[in-house]
Amino acid sequence: QVQLVESGGGLVQAGGSLRLSCAASGLSFSINAMGWYRQAPGKQRELVAVITSGGSTNYADSVKGRFTISRDNAKRTVYLQMNSLKPEDTAIYYCNVIPSRFPYWGQGTQVTVSS
């Protein structure tokens, strides 16, 4: 059974930073591309960052230059370093494989950025 457990969210002022973690179990982590997704209130879930099995990364335009995705295959964990946070980054953040698989969605971690 695949489990993805997100952590590290919280309340931060605009301009601040947070580092999210996603611990994976039950899948062949190192061979999977992983992504961070987010869903803001009243909006659809969107993909914000991708890291391939080889370590290549890609970002949504809205977070490019501010967010950094990374992975530690030994720890089976993917990270999202978020800097220069803006109120519009407020959302629940989730991780999943690329492409996402419905049964893998976890509870996510709430990020709230105050202005």
Side-chain angles (χ1 to χ4, degrees):
Q1 179 182 354
V2 173
Q3 276 197 313
L4 299 172
V5 180
E6 302 91 349
S7 62
L11 173 63
V12 64
Q13 288 188 334
S17 298
L18 285 173
R19 188 193 194 207
L20 307 184
S21 299
C22 169
S25 60
L27 79 163
S28 299
F29 180 79
S30 63
I31 67 171
N32 276 280
M34 298 295 297
W36 280 98
Y37 304 74
R38 69 184 181 187
Q39 187 166 19
K43 295 188 177 181
Q44 287 191 331
R45 194 172 299 181
E46 63 172 340
L47 177 63
V48 297
V50 174
I51 186 164
T52 68
S53 58
S56 298
T57 59
N58 203 2
Y59 301 92
D61 288 343
S62 58
V63 306
K64 200 171 294 183
R66 301 188 297 120
F67 290 11
T68 302
I69 189 171
S70 61
R71 65 190 299 160
D72 184 331
N73 289 336
K75 294 183 178 180
R76 303 172 63 84
T77 300
V78 61
Y79 304 97
L80 187 67
Q81 177 67 44
M82 306 187 296
N83 299 328
S84 302
L85 283 161
K86 304 175 180 180
E88 51 264 43
D89 295 318
T90 294
I92 301 175
Y93 285 71
Y94 305 86
C95 66
N96 207 317
V97 297
I98 300 292
S100 64
R101 298 186 182 180
F102 178 78
Y104 294 2
W105 292 114
Q107 295 300 307
T109 186
Q110 175 72 50
V111 171
T112 303
V113 184
S114 63
S115 57

Short mmCIF file of all heavy atoms in Angstrom, two decimals, residues 59-115:
data_model
loop_
_atom_site.label_atom_id
_atom_site.label_comp_id
_atom_site.label_asym_id
_atom_site.label_seq_id
_atom_site.Cartn_x
_atom_site.Cartn_y
_atom_site.Cartn_z
N TYR A 59 9.23 23.74 -13.00
CA TYR A 59 8.37 24.50 -12.10
C TYR A 59 7.27 25.24 -12.85
O TYR A 59 7.46 25.64 -14.00
CB TYR A 59 9.20 25.53 -11.33
CG TYR A 59 10.30 24.92 -10.51
CD1 TYR A 59 11.58 24.76 -11.03
CD2 TYR A 59 10.07 24.51 -9.20
CE1 TYR A 59 12.60 24.18 -10.28
CE2 TYR A 59 11.07 23.93 -8.44
CZ TYR A 59 12.33 23.77 -9.00
OH TYR A 59 13.34 23.19 -8.25
N ALA A 60 6.16 25.44 -12.17
CA ALA A 60 5.13 26.32 -12.70
C ALA A 60 5.68 27.74 -12.72
O ALA A 60 6.50 28.11 -11.86
CB ALA A 60 3.88 26.25 -11.84
N ASP A 61 5.23 28.52 -13.67
CA ASP A 61 5.72 29.89 -13.78
C ASP A 61 5.48 30.68 -12.50
O ASP A 61 6.29 31.55 -12.15
CB ASP A 61 5.04 30.60 -14.96
CG ASP A 61 5.53 30.09 -16.31
OD1 ASP A 61 6.60 29.44 -16.35
OD2 ASP A 61 4.84 30.33 -17.31
N SER A 62 4.41 30.39 -11.81
CA SER A 62 4.04 31.15 -10.62
C SER A 62 5.02 30.97 -9.46
O SER A 62 5.05 31.79 -8.54
CB SER A 62 2.63 30.77 -10.16
OG SER A 62 2.55 29.38 -9.89
N VAL A 63 5.81 29.90 -9.49
CA VAL A 63 6.74 29.64 -8.38
C VAL A 63 8.20 29.62 -8.82
O VAL A 63 9.09 29.51 -7.97
CB VAL A 63 6.39 28.32 -7.66
CG1 VAL A 63 4.94 28.30 -7.23
CG2 VAL A 63 6.73 27.12 -8.52
N LYS A 64 8.43 29.74 -10.10
CA LYS A 64 9.80 29.66 -10.63
C LYS A 64 10.67 30.73 -10.00
O LYS A 64 10.27 31.90 -9.90
CB LYS A 64 9.75 29.80 -12.14
CG LYS A 64 10.97 29.28 -12.87
CD LYS A 64 10.73 29.25 -14.37
CE LYS A 64 9.67 28.26 -14.78
NZ LYS A 64 9.49 28.16 -16.24
N GLY A 65 11.86 30.33 -9.55
CA GLY A 65 12.78 31.26 -8.92
C GLY A 65 12.57 31.42 -7.43
O GLY A 65 13.40 32.01 -6.74
N ARG A 66 11.46 30.89 -6.91
CA ARG A 66 11.16 31.00 -5.47
C ARG A 66 11.12 29.64 -4.78
O ARG A 66 11.49 29.52 -3.61
CB ARG A 66 9.82 31.70 -5.26
CG ARG A 66 9.75 33.10 -5.83
CD ARG A 66 8.46 33.80 -5.42
NE ARG A 66 7.26 33.13 -5.94
CZ ARG A 66 6.30 32.63 -5.16
NH1 ARG A 66 6.37 32.73 -3.85
NH2 ARG A 66 5.22 32.07 -5.71
N PHE A 67 10.68 28.62 -5.49
CA PHE A 67 10.56 27.27 -4.94
C PHE A 67 11.64 26.37 -5.51
O PHE A 67 12.02 26.50 -6.69
CB PHE A 67 9.20 26.67 -5.27
CG PHE A 67 8.02 27.28 -4.56
CD1 PHE A 67 8.13 28.46 -3.85
CD2 PHE A 67 6.78 26.66 -4.63
CE1 PHE A 67 7.03 29.01 -3.20
CE2 PHE A 67 5.67 27.19 -3.98
CZ PHE A 67 5.80 28.38 -3.26
N THR A 68 12.10 25.42 -4.70
CA THR A 68 13.08 24.43 -5.15
C THR A 68 12.65 23.05 -4.68
O THR A 68 12.45 22.83 -3.49
CB THR A 68 14.48 24.74 -4.59
OG1 THR A 68 14.88 26.05 -4.99
CG2 THR A 68 15.49 23.72 -5.11
N ILE A 69 12.52 22.13 -5.63
CA ILE A 69 12.18 20.76 -5.32
C ILE A 69 13.46 19.93 -5.30
O ILE A 69 14.37 20.14 -6.11
CB ILE A 69 11.16 20.18 -6.33
CG1 ILE A 69 10.64 18.81 -5.88
CG2 ILE A 69 11.72 20.14 -7.74
CD1 ILE A 69 9.48 18.29 -6.71
N SER A 70 13.53 18.99 -4.37
CA SER A 70 14.68 18.10 -4.29
C SER A 70 14.22 16.75 -3.74
O SER A 70 13.09 16.62 -3.27
CB SER A 70 15.78 18.69 -3.40
OG SER A 70 15.31 18.88 -2.08
N ARG A 71 15.10 15.76 -3.83
CA ARG A 71 14.74 14.43 -3.34
C ARG A 71 15.94 13.77 -2.71
O ARG A 71 17.09 14.03 -3.09
CB ARG A 71 14.18 13.58 -4.48
CG ARG A 71 15.16 13.25 -5.58
CD ARG A 71 14.46 12.61 -6.79
NE ARG A 71 13.79 11.36 -6.44
CZ ARG A 71 12.82 10.82 -7.16
NH1 ARG A 71 12.39 11.42 -8.27
NH2 ARG A 71 12.27 9.68 -6.78
N ASP A 72 15.65 12.89 -1.76
CA ASP A 72 16.68 12.05 -1.13
C ASP A 72 16.18 10.62 -1.26
O ASP A 72 15.30 10.19 -0.50
CB ASP A 72 16.85 12.45 0.34
CG ASP A 72 17.98 11.70 1.02
OD1 ASP A 72 18.27 10.55 0.62
OD2 ASP A 72 18.56 12.24 1.97
N ASN A 73 16.71 9.89 -2.22
CA ASN A 73 16.22 8.54 -2.47
C ASN A 73 16.50 7.60 -1.31
O ASN A 73 15.72 6.68 -1.05
CB ASN A 73 16.81 8.00 -3.76
CG ASN A 73 16.26 8.68 -5.00
OD1 ASN A 73 15.16 9.23 -4.98
ND2 ASN A 73 17.03 8.66 -6.08
N ALA A 74 17.60 7.82 -0.61
CA ALA A 74 17.93 6.96 0.54
C ALA A 74 16.88 7.11 1.64
O ALA A 74 16.56 6.14 2.34
CB ALA A 74 19.30 7.31 1.07
N LYS A 75 16.34 8.31 1.77
CA LYS A 75 15.31 8.57 2.79
C LYS A 75 13.90 8.45 2.21
O LYS A 75 12.92 8.64 2.94
CB LYS A 75 15.51 9.96 3.39
CG LYS A 75 16.79 10.10 4.18
CD LYS A 75 16.89 11.49 4.81
CE LYS A 75 18.17 11.60 5.65
NZ LYS A 75 18.29 12.95 6.27
N ARG A 76 13.80 8.21 0.92
CA ARG A 76 12.51 8.08 0.25
C ARG A 76 11.65 9.32 0.53
O ARG A 76 10.45 9.22 0.83
CB ARG A 76 11.79 6.81 0.71
CG ARG A 76 12.59 5.54 0.48
CD ARG A 76 11.95 4.32 1.11
NE ARG A 76 10.65 4.02 0.55
CZ ARG A 76 10.44 3.34 -0.53
NH1 ARG A 76 11.47 2.85 -1.23
NH2 ARG A 76 9.22 3.10 -0.98
N THR A 77 12.27 10.46 0.39
CA THR A 77 11.61 11.73 0.73
C THR A 77 11.85 12.75 -0.37
O THR A 77 12.95 12.83 -0.92
CB THR A 77 12.15 12.26 2.08
OG1 THR A 77 11.88 11.30 3.10
CG2 THR A 77 11.48 13.57 2.45
N VAL A 78 10.81 13.51 -0.67
CA VAL A 78 10.91 14.63 -1.59
C VAL A 78 10.62 15.91 -0.80
O VAL A 78 9.76 15.91 0.10
CB VAL A 78 9.98 14.45 -2.80
CG1 VAL A 78 8.53 14.37 -2.39
CG2 VAL A 78 10.18 15.55 -3.82
N TYR A 79 11.33 16.97 -1.14
CA TYR A 79 11.24 18.23 -0.41
C TYR A 79 10.79 19.35 -1.33
O TYR A 79 10.97 19.30 -2.55
CB TYR A 79 12.60 18.60 0.18
CG TYR A 79 13.20 17.54 1.08
CD1 TYR A 79 14.14 16.65 0.59
CD2 TYR A 79 12.82 17.45 2.41
CE1 TYR A 79 14.70 15.68 1.40
CE2 TYR A 79 13.37 16.48 3.24
CZ TYR A 79 14.31 15.60 2.72
OH TYR A 79 14.86 14.64 3.54
N LEU A 80 10.22 20.38 -0.71
CA LEU A 80 9.92 21.61 -1.44
C LEU A 80 10.34 22.78 -0.56
O LEU A 80 9.72 23.04 0.47
CB LEU A 80 8.43 21.71 -1.78
CG LEU A 80 8.07 22.90 -2.68
CD1 LEU A 80 8.67 22.71 -4.08
CD2 LEU A 80 6.55 23.07 -2.80
N GLN A 81 11.42 23.43 -0.96
CA GLN A 81 11.88 24.64 -0.28
C GLN A 81 11.14 25.82 -0.90
O GLN A 81 11.24 26.04 -2.11
CB GLN A 81 13.39 24.82 -0.43
CG GLN A 81 13.92 26.08 0.21
CD GLN A 81 13.81 26.09 1.71
OE1 GLN A 81 14.10 25.10 2.36
NE2 GLN A 81 13.36 27.21 2.28
N MET A 82 10.43 26.57 -0.08
CA MET A 82 9.63 27.68 -0.57
C MET A 82 10.15 28.98 0.06
O MET A 82 10.10 29.13 1.29
CB MET A 82 8.15 27.47 -0.22
CG MET A 82 7.60 26.14 -0.70
SD MET A 82 5.82 25.99 -0.44
CE MET A 82 5.76 26.04 1.35
N ASN A 83 10.63 29.86 -0.77
CA ASN A 83 11.15 31.16 -0.32
C ASN A 83 10.30 32.28 -0.90
O ASN A 83 9.55 32.08 -1.85
CB ASN A 83 12.60 31.32 -0.76
CG ASN A 83 13.52 30.26 -0.18
OD1 ASN A 83 13.31 29.78 0.94
ND2 ASN A 83 14.55 29.90 -0.93
N SER A 84 10.46 33.45 -0.33
CA SER A 84 9.74 34.64 -0.81
C SER A 84 8.25 34.35 -0.97
O SER A 84 7.65 34.66 -2.01
CB SER A 84 10.34 35.12 -2.14
OG SER A 84 11.71 35.41 -2.00
N LEU A 85 7.67 33.76 0.04
CA LEU A 85 6.28 33.34 -0.05
C LEU A 85 5.34 34.53 -0.18
O LEU A 85 5.59 35.61 0.38
CB LEU A 85 5.90 32.51 1.17
CG LEU A 85 6.42 31.05 1.11
CD1 LEU A 85 6.44 30.42 2.49
CD2 LEU A 85 5.57 30.24 0.15
N LYS A 86 4.26 34.31 -0.93
CA LYS A 86 3.26 35.33 -1.18
C LYS A 86 1.90 34.84 -0.67
O LYS A 86 1.68 33.63 -0.59
CB LYS A 86 3.17 35.59 -2.69
CG LYS A 86 4.47 35.98 -3.35
CD LYS A 86 4.29 36.10 -4.86
CE LYS A 86 5.59 36.48 -5.56
NZ LYS A 86 5.42 36.61 -7.02
N PRO A 87 0.99 35.76 -0.38
CA PRO A 87 -0.34 35.32 0.06
C PRO A 87 -1.01 34.37 -0.93
O PRO A 87 -1.75 33.46 -0.51
CB PRO A 87 -1.10 36.64 0.19
CG PRO A 87 -0.04 37.64 0.54
CD PRO A 87 1.16 37.21 -0.26
N GLU A 88 -0.74 34.54 -2.21
CA GLU A 88 -1.35 33.66 -3.22
C GLU A 88 -0.75 32.25 -3.22
O GLU A 88 -1.24 31.37 -3.94
CB GLU A 88 -1.23 34.27 -4.62
CG GLU A 88 0.15 34.72 -5.02
CD GLU A 88 0.36 36.21 -4.78
OE1 GLU A 88 -0.05 36.72 -3.71
OE2 GLU A 88 0.97 36.87 -5.67
N ASP A 89 0.28 32.01 -2.42
CA ASP A 89 0.80 30.65 -2.25
C ASP A 89 0.00 29.87 -1.22
O ASP A 89 0.23 28.67 -1.04
CB ASP A 89 2.27 30.69 -1.83
CG ASP A 89 3.18 31.27 -2.89
OD1 ASP A 89 2.99 30.95 -4.07
OD2 ASP A 89 4.08 32.05 -2.52
N THR A 90 -0.93 30.52 -0.55
CA THR A 90 -1.75 29.86 0.46
C THR A 90 -2.55 28.73 -0.19
O THR A 90 -3.26 28.94 -1.17
CB THR A 90 -2.70 30.86 1.12
OG1 THR A 90 -1.93 31.81 1.86
CG2 THR A 90 -3.68 30.15 2.05
N ALA A 91 -2.40 27.52 0.34
CA ALA A 91 -3.04 26.34 -0.23
C ALA A 91 -2.70 25.13 0.64
O ALA A 91 -1.85 25.21 1.53
CB ALA A 91 -2.54 26.09 -1.66
N ILE A 92 -3.37 24.03 0.33
CA ILE A 92 -2.93 22.73 0.86
C ILE A 92 -1.97 22.15 -0.16
O ILE A 92 -2.28 22.09 -1.36
CB ILE A 92 -4.12 21.79 1.11
CG1 ILE A 92 -5.09 22.41 2.11
CG2 ILE A 92 -3.61 20.44 1.63
CD1 ILE A 92 -6.36 21.60 2.31
N TYR A 93 -0.82 21.72 0.29
CA TYR A 93 0.23 21.19 -0.57
C TYR A 93 0.28 19.66 -0.43
O TYR A 93 0.28 19.14 0.69
CB TYR A 93 1.58 21.80 -0.24
CG TYR A 93 1.71 23.22 -0.74
CD1 TYR A 93 1.01 24.26 -0.15
CD2 TYR A 93 2.53 23.52 -1.84
CE1 TYR A 93 1.11 25.56 -0.63
CE2 TYR A 93 2.64 24.81 -2.32
CZ TYR A 93 1.92 25.82 -1.71
OH TYR A 93 2.02 27.12 -2.19
N TYR A 94 0.34 19.00 -1.58
CA TYR A 94 0.37 17.55 -1.65
C TYR A 94 1.55 17.10 -2.50
O TYR A 94 1.98 17.81 -3.41
CB TYR A 94 -0.89 17.02 -2.33
CG TYR A 94 -2.20 17.44 -1.74
CD1 TYR A 94 -2.81 18.64 -2.11
CD2 TYR A 94 -2.87 16.62 -0.83
CE1 TYR A 94 -4.03 19.02 -1.59
CE2 TYR A 94 -4.11 16.99 -0.31
CZ TYR A 94 -4.68 18.19 -0.69
OH TYR A 94 -5.89 18.55 -0.18
N CYS A 95 2.01 15.90 -2.25
CA CYS A 95 2.95 15.29 -3.18
C CYS A 95 2.27 14.07 -3.82
O CYS A 95 1.32 13.51 -3.28
CB CYS A 95 4.26 14.89 -2.51
SG CYS A 95 4.10 13.57 -1.30
N ASN A 96 2.78 13.68 -4.97
CA ASN A 96 2.28 12.51 -5.68
C ASN A 96 3.30 12.17 -6.75
O ASN A 96 4.23 12.93 -7.00
CB ASN A 96 0.90 12.77 -6.30
CG ASN A 96 0.07 11.51 -6.47
OD1 ASN A 96 0.58 10.46 -6.88
ND2 ASN A 96 -1.20 11.59 -6.14
N VAL A 97 3.12 11.03 -7.36
CA VAL A 97 3.98 10.65 -8.48
C VAL A 97 3.54 11.46 -9.70
O VAL A 97 2.51 12.13 -9.70
CB VAL A 97 3.91 9.14 -8.76
CG1 VAL A 97 4.43 8.35 -7.57
CG2 VAL A 97 2.49 8.70 -9.10
N ILE A 98 4.35 11.37 -10.74
CA ILE A 98 4.04 12.01 -12.02
C ILE A 98 3.86 10.91 -13.06
O ILE A 98 4.80 10.14 -13.30
CB ILE A 98 5.18 12.96 -12.47
CG1 ILE A 98 5.41 14.06 -11.43
CG2 ILE A 98 4.88 13.55 -13.84
CD1 ILE A 98 4.29 15.04 -11.30
N PRO A 99 2.72 10.80 -13.72
CA PRO A 99 1.48 11.52 -13.47
C PRO A 99 0.83 11.07 -12.17
O PRO A 99 1.09 9.95 -11.71
CB PRO A 99 0.61 11.18 -14.68
CG PRO A 99 1.09 9.83 -15.12
CD PRO A 99 2.58 9.84 -14.85
N SER A 100 0.01 11.92 -11.59
CA SER A 100 -0.58 11.61 -10.29
C SER A 100 -1.51 10.40 -10.37
O SER A 100 -2.12 10.12 -11.41
CB SER A 100 -1.35 12.83 -9.77
OG SER A 100 -2.45 13.11 -10.61
N ARG A 101 -1.59 9.70 -9.27
CA ARG A 101 -2.47 8.54 -9.15
C ARG A 101 -3.41 8.78 -7.99
O ARG A 101 -2.96 9.08 -6.87
CB ARG A 101 -1.67 7.26 -8.95
CG ARG A 101 -0.76 6.94 -10.12
CD ARG A 101 -0.08 5.60 -9.97
NE ARG A 101 0.82 5.34 -11.09
CZ ARG A 101 1.54 4.24 -11.21
NH1 ARG A 101 1.48 3.31 -10.29
NH2 ARG A 101 2.33 4.10 -12.25
N PHE A 102 -4.71 8.65 -8.26
CA PHE A 102 -5.72 8.99 -7.26
C PHE A 102 -5.50 8.33 -5.91
O PHE A 102 -5.60 8.99 -4.87
CB PHE A 102 -7.12 8.69 -7.79
CG PHE A 102 -8.20 8.98 -6.79
CD1 PHE A 102 -8.62 10.27 -6.56
CD2 PHE A 102 -8.77 7.94 -6.05
CE1 PHE A 102 -9.61 10.54 -5.62
CE2 PHE A 102 -9.76 8.21 -5.12
CZ PHE A 102 -10.18 9.51 -4.90
N PRO A 103 -5.22 7.02 -5.87
CA PRO A 103 -5.11 6.39 -4.54
C PRO A 103 -3.93 6.87 -3.71
O PRO A 103 -3.86 6.57 -2.51
CB PRO A 103 -4.95 4.90 -4.87
CG PRO A 103 -5.47 4.75 -6.25
CD PRO A 103 -5.12 6.03 -6.94
N TYR A 104 -3.00 7.58 -4.35
CA TYR A 104 -1.79 7.99 -3.63
C TYR A 104 -1.95 9.31 -2.88
O TYR A 104 -1.08 9.68 -2.11
CB TYR A 104 -0.63 8.14 -4.60
CG TYR A 104 -0.14 6.87 -5.26
CD1 TYR A 104 -0.74 5.65 -5.04
CD2 TYR A 104 0.95 6.91 -6.13
CE1 TYR A 104 -0.29 4.49 -5.66
CE2 TYR A 104 1.42 5.76 -6.75
CZ TYR A 104 0.79 4.56 -6.51
OH TYR A 104 1.25 3.42 -7.13
N TRP A 105 -3.05 10.04 -3.11
CA TRP A 105 -3.19 11.33 -2.46
C TRP A 105 -3.24 11.17 -0.95
O TRP A 105 -3.98 10.35 -0.42
CB TRP A 105 -4.45 12.06 -2.92
CG TRP A 105 -4.44 12.50 -4.34
CD1 TRP A 105 -5.23 12.06 -5.35
CD2 TRP A 105 -3.57 13.49 -4.92
NE1 TRP A 105 -4.91 12.71 -6.52
CE2 TRP A 105 -3.90 13.59 -6.29
CE3 TRP A 105 -2.54 14.30 -4.42
CZ2 TRP A 105 -3.25 14.47 -7.17
CZ3 TRP A 105 -1.89 15.17 -5.29
CH2 TRP A 105 -2.25 15.24 -6.64
N GLY A 106 -2.44 11.98 -0.25
CA GLY A 106 -2.44 11.99 1.19
C GLY A 106 -3.29 13.13 1.71
O GLY A 106 -4.11 13.70 0.98
N GLN A 107 -3.07 13.47 2.97
CA GLN A 107 -3.85 14.54 3.60
C GLN A 107 -3.33 15.93 3.23
O GLN A 107 -4.04 16.91 3.36
CB GLN A 107 -3.84 14.38 5.12
CG GLN A 107 -4.53 13.12 5.60
CD GLN A 107 -5.98 13.09 5.19
OE1 GLN A 107 -6.74 14.01 5.44
NE2 GLN A 107 -6.40 12.00 4.52
N GLY A 108 -2.11 15.98 2.78
CA GLY A 108 -1.52 17.27 2.45
C GLY A 108 -1.08 18.02 3.69
O GLY A 108 -1.28 17.58 4.83
N THR A 109 -0.46 19.16 3.45
CA THR A 109 -0.03 20.03 4.55
C THR A 109 -0.42 21.47 4.21
O THR A 109 -0.19 21.94 3.09
CB THR A 109 1.49 19.88 4.80
OG1 THR A 109 1.86 20.63 5.96
CG2 THR A 109 2.34 20.32 3.62
N GLN A 110 -1.03 22.14 5.17
CA GLN A 110 -1.56 23.48 4.94
C GLN A 110 -0.47 24.52 5.02
O GLN A 110 0.30 24.55 6.00
CB GLN A 110 -2.65 23.80 5.97
CG GLN A 110 -3.19 25.21 5.89
CD GLN A 110 -4.07 25.45 4.67
OE1 GLN A 110 -4.98 24.66 4.40
NE2 GLN A 110 -3.82 26.53 3.95
N VAL A 111 -0.41 25.37 4.01
CA VAL A 111 0.48 26.52 4.01
C VAL A 111 -0.38 27.77 3.95
O VAL A 111 -1.20 27.92 3.04
CB VAL A 111 1.45 26.47 2.82
CG1 VAL A 111 2.24 27.78 2.71
CG2 VAL A 111 2.39 25.29 2.95
N THR A 112 -0.19 28.64 4.91
CA THR A 112 -0.93 29.90 4.96
C THR A 112 0.06 31.05 5.02
O THR A 112 0.90 31.08 5.92
CB THR A 112 -1.88 29.96 6.17
OG1 THR A 112 -2.76 28.84 6.13
CG2 THR A 112 -2.68 31.25 6.15
N VAL A 113 -0.05 31.97 4.07
CA VAL A 113 0.86 33.11 3.99
C VAL A 113 0.05 34.37 4.26
O VAL A 113 -0.88 34.68 3.52
CB VAL A 113 1.55 33.19 2.63
CG1 VAL A 113 2.57 34.34 2.63
CG2 VAL A 113 2.22 31.87 2.29
N SER A 114 0.41 35.06 5.32
CA SER A 114 -0.32 36.28 5.68
C SER A 114 0.36 37.50 5.07
O SER A 114 1.60 37.53 4.91
CB SER A 114 -0.38 36.42 7.20
OG SER A 114 0.92 36.56 7.73
N SER A 115 -0.44 38.49 4.75
CA SER A 115 0.11 39.70 4.11
C SER A 115 0.51 40.73 5.15
O SER A 115 0.24 40.60 6.33
CB SER A 115 -0.93 40.29 3.17
OG SER A 115 -2.12 40.56 3.86
#
